[in-house]
Structure formats: structure tokens, C-alpha cells
Amino acid sequence: MALPDASARVTSVAGAADPEGPNLVGNYYLQAWNDADAARRAAQNDFGAVLDPWPPGVRYVSIVGQVPNLWSRLWPDVEANDLIVETSSTYLPLADNDVYCLLPSILRTNHVWLGGSGAALKALTGALKDYYPIKASFKPRYTPGKSKLVEYSRQETGKAEVHKPYYVELKLPAARGTAKVELIFAASGPAAPSAWAYLEVPGSGIRRYPLTFTAASDGKLRASAELPAPAQEGARVLLGVRLLSNVGGQLPPPNETRPFTWRLGYVPAPQVAGGEGLPPVPSADRAEPSQAVGQGAGAETRLPGEASNGPASSPASVPVIHATHRDKETTSLEASITRHDRWVWIFGDGSSTVEDDPAATECSKSHSYTAPGTYPCRVTSWSTEGRILADYQWQVDVDAEDVGVPRLFSAQTLAAPEVRLELVGPVAWVTGLPARYSVEYEINLPETSGTSAELAYLYPAREFEMVWERPGEFTVTGAMALRLTYPCGSGLASVVNVYTVEKKVKVYATVVTD
């Protein structure tokens, strides 16, 4: 079974008669009109193009009666009911939101019965009740600056049909992020699935995006896409699914169904500069004032005041820590370091790629488009914790003369500096007397990375004293919190990395002799 064509705008489930065979439809001109109209709508429904504000394009609802084809045994070339109700010639190739309602009957399904029984009107009003027949709707509980949501996801099952679409709605929060959609078709069938996604942004129209289909070794079909979630109230994603009957098959096509599993997810974008909170500092500790480190000049940078041979701090300015912990640890702050892990490229024409190179914090990619149109290209930088660090998006307009011409896209993300952290002080001491320690550090910012650094605080302080009340082996810990600001696609973003250093200290009891 061939995979669905992700580049097709409207896939026809029926076409004109085979030019090499007889054309015996009851109304050839009506069928030709329908086929031409379907082609016109296909040209207006490009992926990524802005559609009509509401609703996006024309929706057709076809109400058709059907009786058994009494002529098929005498004249096999006569298609279904062409000489009675003209079901074949009235069939319109279905676009995304079209609905086809077939009312079969042995004798009563004719033009008079369709108009007078009320069945056609009931079917029509039911189909027009909602432009999108939404089966389920969800909204992540996320508030920018307050919620700690890493990723929201919802999964359920549904059934795709030939005669009408199936929709699931994801209402997006008023925050930047990524909407993720995925479909898994569990079993094969004669009708291939079709899937798409609408992104509706109030005041900016509606855009249609394709889903990329892949086939697994177990026969399952997967379709997925990632869409930019704008920071605007009322934005939403509509995931649409339907089945496509085989082209040239039976007309009208039977309403086949196929089960599938759908997943909807939302991943918040990184906070802009200043939005990332610092790890809490215990109130008993003394924080150092913020100090600028630099703008990524590439040279080894040593911060002011860190030299161990500098002027000694006055006793009143140095915090004293009394070690009374049974766990024999003097501090409890843990390291927390965010780094770039991989780039994910989505070019908007069904092709994508992933680059798993943590060192490639500057990335450039060349891509050629094979057909004219407007393509939403996007590249995201993902951290080792699985969140987006940077998000670059472009709308690429490709004219006929630009087809096949390589386009170059470039992006930058967080470039973590090389940090050397040292805890200077004795490794052996005695109880009851203060031991002086200092936190020393060196920072090397990568060249031309665009990343800058600012010292947030030293923990417990740049200099501090330890006093042990009992002998034993203890661990002294120092830490440095560094705020890193870097380009993220929509401006600047920041993270706070915490680096720690430890020193094992053997403490002996004080012995008094005569």
C-alpha cells in the first residue's frame, strides 16, 4: 500500500471516466463540472497559505439517493444508478470538510422521495451544524510565568471515515510554544488515510499544514507534525482525519472506517530573558552581587575579585557555617546544567531531519523546494531535558523560477561555557576552630556564540568559614549560579546553570596534653 501524498492539497476519490474506455455516465457535463470545481478548490488550498478567515473555503454537503443498479447484468459498463438517480455523475470529489450522505433504499430513493420525506433535510442540517465536526476538545492548563508545565499531551482513539472528516481540537494557551499532533493507524485497509492540521490565529487567518506519513515494520502508519503555537488568546489547532477511497474505484465509494489513535500535545517555549527564575538561596547564606562576564569573545575570562591572593575579607563579611549535620554535608545545593542536545528541522514540504550533535550550537542547513508555494520552515533546539531552547520560523515563498534553488537557513542556540570551579581551603582540620574556604572559578565563553553570561550568586559565599563540632570526614560544597543569555529565534532567552564543587575534609578532635 502506498503512503498518502503529504504534498497533495485535495485528494480526489473519483475522477472523470477512463479516457480509453466507454463513458456512459448519465450526465457527463455535470461530472465534468464537478471535477473542474474540485481542481479549482485544490489550487486554493495550499499547505501553509492563509485561507479565508471563516470558514476556510467552500464546503459541499452532498445528499444522494441510491437504489440497486438493475442494468448492471445487461450492461456492465453502466455505473451505479446512472439511468435512475445519476449517483455516479453527481458525485463530487471530496475535499477536507466535504460531507457525502448516501441514502440507500430498494425502491423509494428517488428525487421525489428525497425532497418530500424529510430525510434529506435532516441529513443536510445535521452536516451543516458544525463546519468542523469536532469529536474532542482540550486545553492545557498553562499560565506563562507561573505554570511549570513541561509538556501537555492527550491520547484517545477514533475512527476515520470516507464520507466525512473527524476533528480533534487543541485550544492553545496565550503563550509561545509548540503544538504536536500524531496519528497511528493500527491496521491496514483498502482506503488510505488522509490527515491535515489547521492552525487558527484570531486576526491572522487560518493556515493548513500537512502531516508527514511514515510506515513501520509492523504495518502501522504514523502521521505527525509540529506547529508553532503563537502567544495569542484564542489560538487553536484542529487535527483533521478522513479516508480516501481508491481513485477509479466504485462510485459512490462505500463509507469505510478505519480505527486510529490520536495524540495532541503542547510544549511551552523558553521564557524570554529575565523570565527564568534563579534557584533559591537559603536565607542563612550570603549571595554575591551580580557581575557581568562578557559577550562571548572567546578568550578565557576571569571574573573580578576571584584571585586568591587578593585582599582578605573582614571577619564580619565572611559567613560562618557550623557543621552539625549527621549526614556530614555542609551544604545541599545540587548542580543543574542546561545544554543544547539536538536540532530538529521541519521544512514544511513533508521533509524533516534531526541533527544529534550537542556541540553544534550554530547550525546552517540548505534545502531545495520542488514545487511553487508558501512553506512554513522551522528549526528548534532541544535541551538534554527535552524542552525547546530556541525556535526559528520562516514563511518561505517559492515561485516557479525558484524551484530547485537551494535556500540557506541559519540558527543559533545556547552555547554552554566551559567552567572551572575550585574550592580553595584545607583538607584536614580540627574541631572548634574556623577553617577559611573560597570559591574560585574560570569561565571560557565560546567564540562568536552570541551567548553572554552573568554571575548570579556564589554559594554559600565567595569566602566562608567552617566550624566542626565533632571529628570525622566531611564534605564541603561550593556552588556558582550563572545566568546565560542567548539568541532563541524570537529575541533572547535565558537559563540559569548551577555548577558545584566538593572537597573532602578530615576533621580531628582537639587534644589537650600536659
Side-chain angles (χ1 to χ4, degrees):
M1 180 184 65
L3 295 181
D5 183 5
S7 64
R9 265 79 72 182
V10 176
T11 305
S12 173
V13 300
D18 185 353
E20 298 180 358
N23 188 350
L24 301 173
V25 297
N27 192 327
Y28 172 81
Y29 297 101
L30 179 59
Q31 176 170 312
W33 183 288
N34 286 341
D35 289 344
D37 188 65
R40 178 184 59 82
R41 288 192 294 154
Q44 295 177 350
N45 204 19
D46 292 332
F47 284 126
V50 178
L51 307 179
D52 295 338
W54 189 264
V58 178
R59 183 191 199 194
Y60 285 82
V61 178
S62 301
I63 311 295
V64 179
Q66 185 183 44
V67 297
N69 185 0
L70 304 178
W71 300 92
S72 60
R73 294 186 178 275
L74 298 177
W75 202 352
D77 291 331
V78 174
E79 298 182 9
N81 306 139
D82 278 337
L83 301 182
I84 302 176
V85 191
E86 298 187 9
T87 306
S88 174
S89 58
T90 58
Y91 182 78
L92 179 71
L94 300 176
D96 287 352
N97 296 300
D98 291 344
V99 176
Y100 188 79
C101 183
L102 191 62
L103 302 176
S105 176
I106 297 178
L107 297 174
R108 294 186 304 168
T109 307
N110 51 56
H111 296 91
V112 176
W113 181 85
L114 284 177
S117 67
L121 180 60
K122 182 178 179 180
L124 180 63
T125 55
L128 294 177
K129 183 178 180 181
D130 295 311
Y131 188 89
Y132 301 110
I134 296 174
K135 302 294 184 180
S137 179
F138 306 97
K139 182 175 182 178
R141 295 181 177 179
Y142 178 76
T143 303
K146 295 181 180 180
S147 302
K148 296 182 179 180
L149 179 69
V150 176
E151 180 174 356
Y152 163 89
S153 63
R154 187 66 177 259
Q155 173 178 320
E156 289 187 16
T157 58
K159 285 187 177 181
E161 300 182 35
V162 172
H163 288 178
K164 61 182 179 180
Y166 180 110
Y167 275 99
V168 184
E169 178 185 50
L170 176 62
K171 297 179 180 179
L172 300 174
R176 289 187 58 84
T178 302
K180 302 167 67 174
V181 298
E182 183 181 30
L183 301 171
I184 302 176
F185 295 89
S188 61
S194 174
W196 61 94
Y198 287 122
L199 174 61
E200 180 192 0
V201 181
S204 301
I206 302 172
R207 293 182 185 272
R208 185 175 186 268
Y209 293 85
L211 271 68
T212 301
F213 281 82
T214 57
S217 57
D218 57 1
K220 295 181 180 179
L221 276 179
R222 295 177 180 269
S224 60
E226 292 189 0
L227 284 68
Q232 186 168 343
E233 190 70 36
R236 63 175 181 164
V237 171
L238 292 169
L239 173 62
V241 189
R242 79 181 309 153
L243 296 182
L244 303 174
S245 181
N246 294 329
V247 175
Q250 177 184 351
L251 289 179
N255 190 27
E256 302 173 12
T257 61
R258 187 171 178 182
F260 66 95
T261 300
W262 54 262
R263 293 181 184 143
L264 292 178
Y266 168 75
V267 181
Q271 298 286 336
V272 296
E276 183 80 21
L278 293 175
V281 183
S283 59
D285 299 322
R286 187 186 305 271
E288 289 283 305
S290 296
Q291 303 177 37
V293 175
Q295 300 294 328
E300 192 171 71
T301 306
R302 196 165 180 85
L303 299 187
E306 70 175 85
S308 58
N309 58 356
S313 301
S314 62
S317 66
V318 178
V320 178
I321 300 175
H322 292 267
T324 59
H325 306 60
R326 291 187 178 182
D327 57 10
K328 297 185 178 182
E329 291 185 356
T330 57
T331 56
S332 59
L333 193 63
E334 296 181 354
S336 175
I337 301 176
T338 298
R339 295 187 179 92
H340 164 75
D341 182 61
R342 67 189 185 279
W343 289 103
V344 177
W345 289 86
I346 301 176
F347 295 101
D349 58 353
S351 60
S352 59
T353 184
V354 177
E355 294 188 2
D356 294 311
D357 185 2
T361 56
E362 298 183 20
C363 187
S364 295
K365 182 69 66 174
S366 178
H367 184 73
S368 301
Y369 291 92
T370 59
T374 300
Y375 300 91
C377 180
R378 183 185 187 193
V379 57
T380 49
S381 163
W382 291 80
S383 73
T384 51
E385 297 86 4
R387 67 181 179 119
I388 294 180
L389 294 177
D391 189 346
Y392 291 79
Q393 301 175 27
W394 303 272
Q395 288 292 334
V396 184
D397 295 322
V398 179
D399 299 328
E401 59 270 17
D402 298 327
V403 172
V405 178
R407 301 289 186 100
L408 183 64
F409 304 93
S410 299
Q412 287 182 300
T413 187
L414 171 66
E418 296 181 2
V419 175
R420 184 187 68 83
L421 201 59
E422 182 180 358
L423 189 60
V424 178
V427 296
W429 203 250
V430 295
T431 59
L433 296 179
R436 177 70 65 91
Y437 291 89
S438 63
V439 180
E440 310 289 345
Y441 47 86
E442 291 182 2
I443 300 172
N444 188 6
L445 291 169
E447 268 189 64
T448 65
S449 65
T451 300
S452 62
E454 180 184 10
L455 178 63
Y457 62 76
L458 295 175
Y459 179 75
R462 198 186 79 80
E463 290 188 346
F464 61 97
E465 291 182 344
M466 294 294 310
V467 177
W468 290 276
E469 298 179 357
R470 64 185 65 183
E473 187 176 62
F474 293 83
T475 301
V476 181
T477 304
M480 177 182 66
L482 197 63
R483 184 191 296 273
L484 302 172
T485 303
Y486 62 95
C488 67
S490 59
L492 296 176
S494 65
V495 298
V496 175
N497 283 351
V498 177
Y499 307 86
T500 60
V501 61
E502 295 181 347
K503 183 181 287 290
K504 297 292 185 180
V505 180
K506 186 69 174 180
V507 178
Y508 299 93
T510 304
V511 179
V512 179
T513 60
D514 293 334

